[in-house]
């Protein structure tokens, strides 16, 4: 990114932290619905179908328009779009609290979805702007932990907050996080050097098309989708397994599930640190996909003890952290200028959300067809195998680039 590296000689870590806080806040905003879906069904009298729409609304939106948001970030500037996303998130959260019917609740969730996409595609621009070239791969690798960190945070806070003020208290908690993230970014705005909107020109779409023409961008997006299938299979399966097949109390189910989500965070940080040490991105992608597939097979194996199966779940989440950190930091290679970062992030997000959208229904179909959770292991393990193949392809494609991260 030749344009983006001229102005930053030192990493502004407070500015980096502010952008990371926006990511954690928007992830908590995303994760709160799945955690509180039972309470929402009781409060609004939702059917299973309505609950499903509420849970999947953000994924549907991301699959449909994430690239458009990425183009907008490149056009109007990362800082403006990030702050707009925070504002939409707060508005959607307040709208949810005030909603009196399912249509109003769903409309508020769509607004929150737009907020999520806006922050997810724009925050990496701010992070790149605030960090010097030598730190950029590490910073973007750490950014990949925003989703498990935010979801884990709301999982930890939910039991206490729900006891104090019901599901609405969790919404207000998420709103407070968003407000803190927005205020922090605004306070650090002077450090987001190239995050402001560039002067308008007729070549904006041509700049974006340059990203879309790169095979590596598409391969990485598809690889992210394979990881999404694995991770969300685990998120769906583990609580059900612990509650229905092992009879654990809801408190233990929540704790063990929360730990599983949170161990993905250090995996992402380690991935960023390895990239900073110039470990090949393709090597990390192949290693992460391969080992996560082995651990996933072990997690679903009925011949292993419950303790080993749970450790395998932790292994999937931890080692899988190498995958998002390697992919989301690839803008240092694919984005030739600062104006292409948002397009890459949007394209990546749109493709990867296919895994989140299609994974759960495919898993349910396999369970229904084969009669057991163990029979559905072909889906996540198959996704891991596909990830290994795509990782090898990405490794070879990246060697053709002049700047090797």
């Amino acid at each position: 990114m030749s344009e983006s590296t001229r102005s930053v000689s030192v990493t502004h870590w407070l500015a980096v932290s502010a952008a990371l806080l926006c990511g954690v806040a928007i992830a908590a905003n995303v994760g709160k619905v799945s955690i509180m879906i039972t309470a929402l069904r009781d409060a609004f009298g939702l059917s299973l179908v309505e609950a499903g729409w509420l849970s999947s609304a953000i994924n549907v939106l991301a699959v449909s328009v994430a690239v458009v948001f990425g183009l907008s970030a490149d056009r109007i500037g990362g800082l403006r779009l990030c702050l707009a996303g925070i504002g939409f998130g707060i508005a959607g959260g307040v709208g949810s609290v005030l909603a009196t019917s399912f249509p109003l609740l769903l409309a508020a969730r769509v607004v929150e979805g737009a907020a999520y996409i806006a922050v997810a595609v724009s925050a990496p621009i701010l992070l790149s702007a605030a960090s010097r070239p030598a730190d950029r791969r590490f910073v973007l690798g750490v950014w990949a932990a925003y989703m498990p960190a935010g979801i884990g945070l709301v999982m930890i806070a939910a039991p206490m907050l729900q006891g104090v003020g019901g599901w609405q208290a969790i919404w207000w908690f998420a709103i407070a996080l968003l407000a803190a993230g927005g205020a922090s970014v605004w306070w650090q705005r002077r450090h987001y050097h190239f995050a402001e909107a560039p002067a308008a020109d007729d070549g904006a779409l041509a700049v974006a098309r340059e990203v879309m023409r790169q095979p590596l961008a598409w391969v990485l997006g598809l690889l992210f989708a394979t990881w999404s299938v694995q991770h969300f299979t685990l998120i769906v399966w583990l609580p059900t397994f612990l509650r229905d097949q092992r009879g654990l109390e809801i408190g233990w189910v929540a704790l063990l599930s929360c730990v599983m989500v949170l161990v993905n965070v250090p995996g992402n940080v380690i991935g960023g640190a390895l990239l900073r040490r110039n470990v090949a991105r393709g090597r990390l992608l192949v290693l992460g996909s391969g080992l996560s597939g082995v651990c996933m097979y072990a997690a679903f194996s009925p011949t292993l003890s419950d303790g080993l199966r749970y450790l395998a779940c932790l292994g999937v989440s931890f080692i899988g952290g190498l995958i998002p950190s390697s992919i989301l930091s690839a803008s240092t290679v694919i984005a030739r200028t600062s104006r292409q970062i948002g397009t890459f992030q949007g394209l990546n997000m749109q493709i990867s959300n296919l895994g989140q959208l299609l994974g759960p229904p495919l898993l349910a179909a396999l369970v229904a067809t084969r009669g057991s959770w163990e029979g559905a292991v072909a889906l996540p393990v198959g996704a891991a195998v596909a990830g290994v193949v795509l990782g090898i392809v990405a490794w070879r494609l990246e060697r053709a680039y002049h700047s090797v991260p």
Side-chain angles (χ1 to χ4, degrees), residues 129-204:
S131 56
R132 66 190 181 105
D135 293 328
R136 198 164 286 143
R137 286 165 294 178
F138 171 71
V139 168
L140 290 171
V142 173
W143 161 252
Y146 80 95
M147 184 60 75
I151 292 176
L153 178 61
V154 80
M155 288 176 75
I156 292 171
M160 179 183 65
L161 292 173
Q162 187 179 11
V164 173
W167 66 268
Q168 293 93 337
I170 298 167
W171 263 243
W172 287 118
F173 173 70
I175 289 169
L177 282 177
L178 288 168
S184 298
V185 163
W186 178 253
W187 182 44
Q188 293 293 324
R189 64 190 183 279
R190 66 187 181 279
H191 297 305
Y192 303 126
H193 299 285
F194 63 79
E196 293 298 335
D201 62 71
D202 295 331

Side-chain angles (χ1 to χ4, degrees), residues 12-221:
H12 302 286
W13 291 107
L14 283 178
V16 167
S17 299
L20 289 173
L21 178 58
C22 286
V24 172
I26 207 68
N29 212 41
V30 169
K32 66 189 181 185
V33 165
S34 60
I35 295 168
M36 297 305 300
I37 195 64
T38 300
L40 290 172
R41 288 191 66 193
D42 293 340
F44 289 88
L46 304 182
S47 66
L48 284 174
V49 173
E50 289 172 332
W53 275 110
L54 195 63
S55 298
S56 63
I58 287 181
N59 298 123
V60 172
L61 195 63
V63 167
S64 304
V65 297
V67 169
V68 176
F69 276 77
L71 290 168
S72 299
D74 293 338
R75 186 72 176 177
I76 69 174
L79 182 58
R80 289 190 181 94
L81 187 61
C82 185
L83 290 172
I86 293 294
F88 276 118
I90 292 173
V94 173
S96 297
V97 172
L98 299 178
T100 56
S101 64
F102 169 68
L104 292 176
L105 187 65
L106 182 61
R109 189 61 173 166
V110 171
V111 173
E112 290 180 330
Y116 162 56
I117 301 170
V119 173
V121 302
S122 61
I125 303 176
L126 307 186
L127 292 167
S128 297
S131 56
R132 66 190 181 105
D135 293 328
R136 198 164 286 143
R137 286 165 294 178
F138 171 71
V139 168
L140 290 171
V142 173
W143 161 252
Y146 80 95
M147 184 60 75
I151 292 176
L153 178 61
V154 80
M155 288 176 75
I156 292 171
M160 179 183 65
L161 292 173
Q162 187 179 11
V164 173
W167 66 268
Q168 293 93 337
I170 298 167
W171 263 243
W172 287 118
F173 173 70
I175 289 169
L177 282 177
L178 288 168
S184 298
V185 163
W186 178 253
W187 182 44
Q188 293 293 324
R189 64 190 183 279
R190 66 187 181 279
H191 297 305
Y192 303 126
H193 299 285
F194 63 79
E196 293 298 335
D201 62 71
D202 295 331
L205 290 178
V207 170
R209 281 196 296 268
E210 186 179 344
V211 174
M212 309 284 280
R213 291 193 187 107
Q214 297 183 57
L216 180 58
W218 293 91
V219 170
L220 291 176

Side-chain angles (χ1 to χ4, degrees), residues 186-383:
W186 178 253
W187 182 44
Q188 293 293 324
R189 64 190 183 279
R190 66 187 181 279
H191 297 305
Y192 303 126
H193 299 285
F194 63 79
E196 293 298 335
D201 62 71
D202 295 331
L205 290 178
V207 170
R209 281 196 296 268
E210 186 179 344
V211 174
M212 309 284 280
R213 291 193 187 107
Q214 297 183 57
L216 180 58
W218 293 91
V219 170
L220 291 176
L222 289 171
L223 203 158
F224 209 159
T226 67
W227 165 242
S228 296
V229 169
Q230 295 178 71
H231 199 213
F232 279 84
T233 293
L234 200 60
I235 290 174
V236 170
W237 169 75
L238 182 60
T240 304
F241 172 78
L242 294 174
R243 183 180 62 250
D244 296 345
Q245 296 189 28
R246 292 300 181 261
L248 293 186
E249 296 180 357
I250 189 65
W252 279 106
V253 172
L255 175 62
L256 294 173
S257 299
C258 181
V259 172
M260 183 273 294
V261 170
L262 286 175
V263 295
N264 187 245
V265 174
N268 281 282
V269 175
I270 290 172
L274 292 173
L275 289 165
R276 191 182 197 178
R277 292 177 175 272
N278 294 317
V279 177
R281 191 185 323 278
R283 178 173 289 136
L284 295 179
L285 292 171
V286 172
L287 180 67
S289 295
L291 291 181
S292 66
V294 172
C295 290
M296 187 67 81
Y297 182 82
F300 276 71
S301 175
T303 62
L304 298 178
S305 67
D306 287 350
L308 287 176
R309 294 177 74 178
Y310 181 69
L311 287 176
C313 292
L314 298 183
V316 173
S317 188
F318 176 74
I319 197 69
L322 298 177
I323 299 172
S325 60
S326 298
I327 293 174
L328 294 182
S329 64
S331 60
T332 58
V333 174
I334 291 174
R336 308 295 175 83
T337 74
S338 63
R339 296 176 56 200
Q340 296 178 339
I341 299 175
T343 299
F344 169 66
Q345 297 293 338
L347 177 64
N348 204 318
M349 187 178 190
Q350 188 153 337
I351 299 173
S352 66
N353 266 269
L354 280 172
Q356 298 180 33
L357 185 64
L358 298 178
L362 287 174
L363 181 67
L366 281 172
V367 172
T369 301
R370 302 191 178 185
S372 69
W373 283 101
E374 288 76 13
V377 70
L379 177 65
V381 172

